[in-house]
Amino acid sequence: MYNWQRPQWPDFVYNLSDSEDLLLSFAEETGNIAGILQVSPESVKTENLLDIMVAEAIKTSEIEGEFISRIDVVSSIRNNLGLNISPQFVKDKRALGLSALMIDVRKTYADLLTEEKLFEWHIMLLGQNQSINSGKWRKGTSPMQVISGTVGKEKIHFEAPPSAQLPQEMKRFIQWFNETAPGGSNEIRKAPVRSAIAHLFFESIHPFEDGNGRIGRVLAEKSLSQTMGRPVILSLSRKIETDRKAYYNALENAQHSTDITAWIHYFTQTLLDAQIEAKKLLNFTLQKTNFFDQFKNIFNERQAKAIRKMLEPGPDGFQGGMTAKKYMSITKTSKATATRDLQNLVEIRALKVGGGGRNVSYSLPI
């Protein structure tokens, strides 16, 4: 039996005793980020927000097996945030829809959830598409199933409620979502707990013909932001995408019972990891800003280009460090010039040198 087939549905039960430490840690990390943001320059806040939103947009699609141009996502989000002096052209229409969705979720996080808003999000995500009933609940009599495996060896992981039940199921979900919000009649004050239930509840109904995972993660973010009282600064999808198998296993297990203790523990841990990663990114952005301020007008054009390339991977660092060969490739210069530029960067302490001989490499001091 699936959870929605059980007589207790949708009255989920759970025990938080094993998750209390995670919930406390999440609250502490959230406070840390709020403190860092409070003293950060506006440029750092904007860059950090952009990085988080781009990561969320790209990774929420990758979880579903879709790969969208990062350049188009960045351009589209920058256009929507008004960061481009003149709007940049965006070729990939999916990037336009995703960025519009990401912006809208942040702008309207405090609003009550409505059926109209869910339809609006669905159209943003998938466009006006008749073949998948965009902006409408799914229809037809065929069962909505989550399946894996090859033809003849399929495994059914989950089957959602029949489409005839969707209006009633979604009315009940929307009512639950609004009643558990701050000030609601059934308020859930622990943000990760409410977010975990919101995501599971929605995914178990699976009301759309496509896009359920992406809308479900948007609802998890909206729920988290509402309960925290501000737009959340983390990328849930980036954390989920690092171990999709664990996510799908946890979701599948939770969809067979109305006791969701294990699911809440998994989801809270995922949110905590995402929050820690967000703090790491924010600290890196601060260090990067201070680094460029320190060496303003000192780098030549080649050096600045190479340094920016080293900073692109973010807190994880530039793979293998910078070498003369990589420097030559990035800046299109000779070996002699590359060697001279790198030595200069070491002398002014913009780079640290490691190894020796043919294995010499350079790393950033941040």
Side-chain angles (χ1 to χ4, degrees), residues 70-80 84 88-90:
R70 179 182 177 82
I71 293 173
D72 281 343
V73 170
V74 171
S75 297
S76 187
I77 291 178
R78 287 183 64 88
N79 288 345
N80 276 286
N84 293 324
Q88 295 177 349
F89 174 72
V90 179

Side-chain angles (χ1 to χ4, degrees), residues 9-10 111-121 137 166-181 184-186 194 197-198 201-202 205 207-208 215 219 222-223 226:
W9 169 263
D111 296 352
L112 290 174
L113 183 65
T114 64
E115 182 178 282
E116 290 73 25
K117 175 56 70 175
L118 287 169
F119 290 160
E120 182 185 337
W121 284 348
W137 306 137
L166 293 180
Q168 176 189 349
E169 293 286 0
M170 287 307 298
K171 182 179 179 180
R172 186 159 50 181
F173 170 76
I174 292 168
Q175 181 180 349
W176 171 89
F177 193 95
N178 293 328
E179 288 179 352
T180 57
S185 59
N186 193 26
R194 180 168 177 251
I197 299 172
F201 198 164
F202 180 84
I205 299 171
F208 296 117
I215 299 293
L219 284 166
K222 179 178 174 68
S223 170
Q226 276 187 342

Side-chain angles (χ1 to χ4, degrees), residues 29 33 36 48 52 233 238 273-287 314-317:
E29 291 297 336
I33 284 188
I36 297 170
N48 190 68
I52 291 289
I233 306 292
R238 177 160 56 186
D273 291 343
Q275 191 75 99
I276 291 171
E277 192 172 81
K279 185 178 74 172
K280 186 178 177 183
L281 177 62
L282 178 56
N283 281 326
F284 177 79
T285 304
L286 270 171
Q287 290 179 340
D316 293 334

Side-chain angles (χ1 to χ4, degrees), residues 111-328:
D111 296 352
L112 290 174
L113 183 65
T114 64
E115 182 178 282
E116 290 73 25
K117 175 56 70 175
L118 287 169
F119 290 160
E120 182 185 337
W121 284 348
H122 198 237
I123 292 171
M124 283 180 188
L125 184 65
L126 299 172
Q128 292 284 2
N129 192 326
Q130 296 283 343
S131 64
I132 56 173
N133 289 317
S134 57
K136 300 175 184 176
W137 306 137
R138 57 180 162 84
K139 299 178 180 179
T141 56
S142 300
M144 168 62 81
Q145 297 174 326
V146 178
I147 302 174
S148 69
T150 57
V151 177
K153 296 182 179 180
E154 300 94 343
K155 178 182 178 182
I156 300 174
H157 297 274
F158 179 70
E159 183 173 317
S163 58
Q165 293 180 210
L166 293 180
Q168 176 189 349
E169 293 286 0
M170 287 307 298
K171 182 179 179 180
R172 186 159 50 181
F173 170 76
I174 292 168
Q175 181 180 349
W176 171 89
F177 193 95
N178 293 328
E179 288 179 352
T180 57
S185 59
N186 193 26
E187 181 179 356
I188 297 176
R189 298 192 176 187
K190 291 180 169 59
V193 174
R194 180 168 177 251
S195 182
I197 299 172
H199 185 62
L200 173 65
F201 198 164
F202 180 84
E203 292 305 315
S204 297
I205 299 171
H206 232 69
F208 296 117
E209 290 188 14
D210 192 16
N212 292 287
R214 283 161 286 183
I215 299 293
R217 286 184 287 277
V218 159
L219 284 166
E221 179 181 326
K222 179 178 174 68
S223 170
L224 203 60
S225 298
Q226 276 187 342
T227 310
M228 290 168 57
R230 62 168 175 78
V232 68
I233 306 292
L234 58 76
S235 174
L236 172 62
S237 295
R238 177 160 56 186
K239 204 69 236 172
I240 288 175
E241 204 274 333
T242 59
D243 193 351
R244 272 184 275 182
K245 186 176 180 181
Y247 166 68
Y248 284 123
N249 285 342
L251 186 60
E252 181 180 351
N253 289 334
Q255 287 174 327
H256 283 80
S257 173
T258 50
D259 185 334
I260 57 171
T261 299
W263 167 255
I264 288 179
H265 186 86
Y266 160 80
F267 206 81
T268 302
Q269 180 68 68
T270 303
L271 286 171
L272 173 59
D273 291 343
Q275 191 75 99
I276 291 171
E277 192 172 81
K279 185 178 74 172
K280 186 178 177 183
L281 177 62
L282 178 56
N283 281 326
F284 177 79
T285 304
L286 270 171
Q287 290 179 340
K288 182 172 67 173
T289 301
N290 293 335
F291 178 79
F292 272 113
D293 285 346
Q294 180 183 351
F295 295 101
K296 188 185 296 182
N297 302 323
I298 295 178
F299 297 146
N300 62 39
E301 188 177 334
R302 296 182 303 274
Q303 290 170 328
K305 184 176 182 180
I307 293 291
R308 283 195 295 269
K309 190 69 175 178
M310 292 180 75
L311 289 166
E312 273 182 13
D316 293 334
F318 189 65
Q319 189 68 33
M322 179 60 70
T323 63
K325 187 175 182 180
K326 290 180 185 177
Y327 192 94
M328 291 163 61

